[in-house]
């Protein structure tokens, strides 16, 4: 039996059915947090309560009693439960540490103290955010294999106000070129959320090593797809944009729109967890899970408009959010070599599926202004 914490969420809603289809019994422990799931009971959770071979328990990973009961008879744990809003984490620090760090600590504490002797492996959903700005090389040396890899610091408010969008070398001030970030590049979290994800990684790696358990830490890039929250304004550029497209509103593009992200379809993420759970030997390492392709925010906005068959109605605003990174693309060599996976869902196909699903959903309020106002009030936006 595989325990999936946070299995009622977006990634869980793809992972759990995929695990069941592959012949596993799955237990889900999920607190059904109001920010993500809204008002309950929700018919959208029928898949969880009515699927054969899924044992759903409502409860929290921060509760020792809930966790202890959920671990009974389990052989692998896939730990997804977390609070996931990067901007929100900067002012709800206590809550983010309690849910993400304390929840993981409680899990590892129980495993270290023999509360579940059947468990053999722990898989963690970590995040590319632990890299901060990610890997760059000196632009003059960008084409050479041996170029020194640099992880620049977060961009300062002054630099962003001066529209200096690209990070520069912390020592020389020279221009840098983003390269695919590898798992052994330096970590440099730039948000409380990212700091909690890195702490989760350390807890799982050290805790599993010392308890003689296998582990894998999957660093997920920008995951998108059917079932992602359309109501939570704190996460997901594609959710926010899709609501605005449906409401005929223009898409405000931050910075100059050339900032980039690695968008990976949720079914490829579910496949990576399934492969890490089923691999004969536990990977015992960190693995990036992404598409391996950088897409600029302008390009993703245009592609999404196309997926909805709507005109491209974009405005590059030059606004910025403190703490946002400039570029992100994952090196996915280890995903291929260790888990035998290459992402299967290309961006056009993934956006087509996403838009088709969104069109079947109730039209949410556009809460972008509200979320931005909150950030502006806290001087986190310019
Ligand atoms: N979606 C992404 O783009 C992305 C990217 C990187 C990493 N991740 C990580 O993947 C994991 C899953 O993300 P998601 O997108 O499915 O998020 P989600 O918010 O849709 O789902 C998280 C689930 O965890 C549950 N949860 C929260 N606190 C809990 C607690 N204390 N006990 C039990 N359940 C709890 C929520 O109710 C929710 O169902 C998270 O750990 C997140 O940090 C996601």
């Amino acid at each position: 039996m595989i325990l999936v914490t946070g299995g009622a969420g977006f990634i869980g809603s793809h992972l759990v059915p995929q695990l069941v289809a592959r012949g596993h019994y799955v237990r889900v422990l999920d607190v059904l947090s109001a920010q993500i799931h809204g008002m309950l009971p929700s018919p959208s959770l029928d898949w969880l309560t009515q699927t054969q071979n899924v044992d759903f328990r409502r409860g929290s990973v921060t509760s020792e009693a809930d966790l202890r009961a959920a671990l009974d008879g389990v052989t692998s744990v896939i730990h997804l439960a977390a609070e996931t809003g990067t901007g929100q984490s900067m002012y709800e620090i206590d809550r983010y540490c309690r849910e993400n760090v304390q929840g993981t600590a409680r899990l590892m504490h129980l495993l270290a103290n023999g509360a579940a002797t059947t468990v053999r492996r722990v898989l963690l959903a970590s995040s590319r955010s632990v890299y901060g700005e990610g890997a760059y090389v000196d632009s003059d040396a960008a084409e050479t294999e041996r170029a020194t890899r640099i992880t620049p610091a977060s961009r300062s408010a002054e630099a962003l106000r001066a529209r200096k969008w690209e990070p520069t070398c912390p020592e020389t001030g020279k221009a840098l070129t983003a390269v695919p970030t590898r798992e052994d590049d330096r970590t440099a979290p730039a948000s409380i959320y990212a700091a909690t994800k890195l702490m989760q990684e350390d807890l799982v790696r050290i805790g599993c090593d010392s308890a003689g358990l296998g582990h894998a830490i999957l660093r997920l890039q920008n995951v998108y797809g059917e079932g992602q929250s359309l109501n939570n304004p704190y996460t997901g550029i594609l959710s926010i944009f899709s609501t605005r497209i449906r409401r005929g509103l223009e898409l405000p593009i931050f910075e100059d729109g050339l900032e980039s992200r690695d968008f990976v379809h949720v079914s490829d993420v579910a496949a990576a967890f399934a492969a890490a759970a089923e691999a004969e030997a536990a990977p015992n390492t960190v693995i990036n899970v992404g598409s391996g392709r950088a897409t600029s925010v302008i390009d993703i906005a245009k592609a999404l408009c196309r997926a909805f068959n709507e005109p491209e109605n974009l405005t590059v605003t030059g606004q910025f959010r403190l703490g946002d990174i400039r570029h992100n693309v994952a090196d996915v060599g280890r995903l291929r070599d260790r888990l035998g996976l290459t992402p299967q869902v290309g961006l056009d196909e993934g956006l087509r599926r996403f838009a088709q699903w969104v069109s079947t959903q109730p039209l949410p309020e556009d809460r972008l202004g509200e979320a931005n106002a909150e950030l502006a009030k806290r001087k986190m936006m310019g």
Side-chain angles (χ1 to χ4, degrees), residues 5-12 29-33 36-37 59-62 79-84 99 125-128 193 197 200 220-223:
T5 72
F10 166 45
I11 293 173
L29 177 67
D30 197 300
V31 76
L32 301 181
S33 93
I36 296 153
H37 295 276
S60 174
V61 291
T62 59
H79 185 35
L80 306 181
E83 293 291 343
T84 62
E99 301 298 320
S126 185
S127 157
R128 68 82 39 216
Y193 167 69
K197 297 309 284 184
Q200 286 188 321
L220 315 182
Q221 312 296 305
N222 284 65
V223 187

Side-chain angles (χ1 to χ4, degrees), residues 44-113:
S44 64
L45 288 177
D46 284 356
W47 69 269
L48 199 54
T49 50
Q50 291 171 16
T51 308
Q52 263 201 329
N53 299 341
V54 177
D55 172 19
F56 171 62
R57 312 256 176 111
R58 186 169 186 185
S60 174
V61 291
T62 59
S63 153
E64 182 174 331
D66 292 350
L67 254 183
R68 193 181 281 277
L71 284 167
D72 184 42
V74 161
T75 50
S76 297
V77 180
I78 302 182
H79 185 35
L80 306 181
E83 293 291 343
T84 62
T86 305
Q88 191 181 44
S89 75
M90 304 302 272
Y91 50 87
E92 297 211 19
I93 297 175
D94 192 36
R95 183 157 76 91
Y96 273 71
C97 290
R98 187 178 64 242
E99 301 298 320
N100 297 2
V101 179
Q102 189 58 41
T104 309
R106 204 138 269 171
L107 170 67
M108 298 315 300
H109 179 84
L110 286 176
L111 295 178
N113 288 283

Side-chain angles (χ1 to χ4, degrees), residues 221-224 237-238 260-265 290-291 293 295-297 300 345 347:
Q221 312 296 305
N222 284 65
V223 187
Y224 75 98
I237 184 179
L238 291 179
S260 62
R261 299 290 180 266
D262 181 331
F263 291 97
V264 59
H265 190 264
S291 68
R293 276 186 47 188
T295 304
S296 73
V297 171
I300 196 82
V345 183
L347 194 59

